[in-house]
Amino acid sequence: MGGTGMSGTGAGGVGTAGAGTEWSIERFGPVERWTIQGEPRRNSLTMALLAEGAEHLRRAAADRALRVVVLSGAGQKAFCAGADLKERARMADAEVAAFHRGLKGFLTGLEALPQPVVAALNGAALGGGLELALACDLRIAAEGVEVGLPEVGLGIIPGAGGTQRLPRLVGVARAKELILTARRLGAAEALAMGLVSAVVPPARLGEEALALAARVARNAPVSLRQAKRAVDQGLHLPLAEALELENRLYQDCLPTRDRQEALRAFAEKRAPTFTGE
Ligand code: COA
């Protein structure tokens, strides 16, 4: 983990936090990396993966020592190829609807996680795979990845937030162009439109994602939580209400010990040590 200042815990850092079969969980101090373990099916989304993911969300939300989550996929071909189209071919309409509810719920829960989440796009992020990345707070990609929302070519629409989160991120015109053409775009174009914030060589993606997570994790935990909430919730409100929300979230930071610690650290010309209190 060169450059991150973090090292894994447990056997190779893997499986240290109640990992099941669908996700591997590695802990690096205050950061966890959650990796979808479905390389043969290009990390596509199954019912089992969503159920296990929901458990990890519950666990993470209650973990005060966890500051940032990095989300990635196994291998180099795909971050996540969207819904598992083979599983889906065997499903009745009602089961597809249930899966869709499950995916929407999982992505809403992921977005609402108190900790910031970094998506590390190690390969293609298509359909529900891109929607998964859109529910994260930050996205970085390996060179050569493809992203897109192919749903209208499959007789459906992006239904797990794609039609809503993509325009909020890249603007209405760009989002409609991508959704209505169903075309795939490369990493450079994704970077140019702000869909990802950095593109790095594939061999460096893991390290860069952890370094970004570490850069976030060194800040005051209450501030991170409140700042994430201010952006996410304020975006949907009229400006006056959004500013009021920001004010409330700011006020919550004032009585924290970490704010006093930051002031002391500044005076003493040292890095602050935050506890989240
Ligand atoms: N669901 C289930 N299986 C999938 C899948 C998906 N969404 N995407 C890929 N796979 C499977 C393939 O069927 C293949 O399985 P097989 O070995 O049993 O034939 C295996 O993963 C490898 O696929 P392949 O296309 O050869 O891999 P690749 O590395 O060349 O390309 C992708 C990877 C992700 C770019 C490509 O598989 C793809 O475009 N998948 C479809 C994405 C999509 O349209 N998703 C639906 C969104 S709603």
Side-chain angles (χ1 to χ4, degrees):
M1 293 306 126
T4 63
M6 294 191 289
S7 57
T9 56
V14 181
T16 57
T21 53
E22 307 294 325
W23 301 82
S24 70
I25 310 292
E26 299 162 275
R27 186 81 179 215
F28 304 92
V31 174
E32 265 185 17
R33 179 165 58 196
W34 301 1
T35 305
I36 303 174
Q37 293 298 327
E39 196 178 354
R41 55 167 207 276
R42 297 301 182 260
N43 301 321
S44 51
L45 302 163
T46 61
M47 297 284 257
L49 181 128
L50 294 180
E52 198 178 301
E55 287 300 316
H56 289 306
L57 287 180
R58 274 190 283 279
R59 179 183 55 76
D63 184 347
R64 308 279 299 179
L66 177 61
R67 306 277 169 86
V68 181
V69 173
V70 174
L71 220 70
S72 202
Q76 296 206 327
K77 299 284 189 177
F79 168 70
C80 173
D84 184 325
L85 297 175
K86 291 176 182 162
E87 182 183 73
R88 178 159 298 188
R90 299 187 297 270
M91 287 176 166
D93 287 359
E95 289 175 292
V96 175
F99 172 87
H100 179 234
R101 272 196 306 279
L103 177 56
K104 266 176 48 186
F106 176 68
L107 297 187
T108 301
L110 181 65
E111 188 171 51
L113 204 64
Q115 298 92 342
V117 183
V118 176
L121 305 185
N122 54 299
L126 298 167
L130 180 55
E131 290 175 310
L132 174 63
L134 289 170
C136 298
D137 301 292
L138 300 168
R139 283 155 292 278
I140 74 169
E143 285 162 359
V145 308
E146 275 187 337
V147 304
L149 293 173
E151 282 89 343
V152 299
L154 292 164
I156 48 177
I157 67 169
T163 65
Q164 303 307 308
R165 293 194 179 101
L166 187 62
R168 282 170 167 82
L169 189 63
V170 303
V172 171
R174 282 195 180 111
K176 279 189 177 164
E177 193 265 324
L178 291 177
I179 291 167
L180 299 178
T181 62
R183 79 178 169 92
R184 298 175 179 202
L185 61 153
E189 195 181 350
L191 179 65
M193 68 172 67
L195 188 42
V196 300
S197 58
V199 175
V200 301
R204 286 203 7 237
L205 181 73
E207 178 190 332
E208 293 286 345
L210 287 176
L212 174 59
R215 179 71 191 82
V216 173
R218 77 167 79 125
N219 295 305
V222 173
S223 302
L224 289 176
R225 197 160 60 229
Q226 300 300 80
K228 172 172 171 167
R229 205 176 281 166
V231 174
D232 284 345
Q233 295 181 2
L235 210 54
H236 310 294
L237 297 173
L239 183 61
E241 283 175 46
L243 292 173
E244 186 46 43
L245 170 75
E246 180 189 65
N247 181 49
R248 283 199 304 277
L249 294 168
Y250 175 85
Q251 299 288 334
D252 290 343
C253 299
L254 295 184
T256 61
R257 286 195 201 151
D258 282 345
R259 191 178 73 84
Q260 295 302 331
E261 160 63 7
L263 293 174
R264 267 195 309 275
F266 176 76
E268 294 165 12
K269 298 187 188 304
R270 61 170 173 83
T273 304
F274 292 128
T275 62
E277 287 169 19

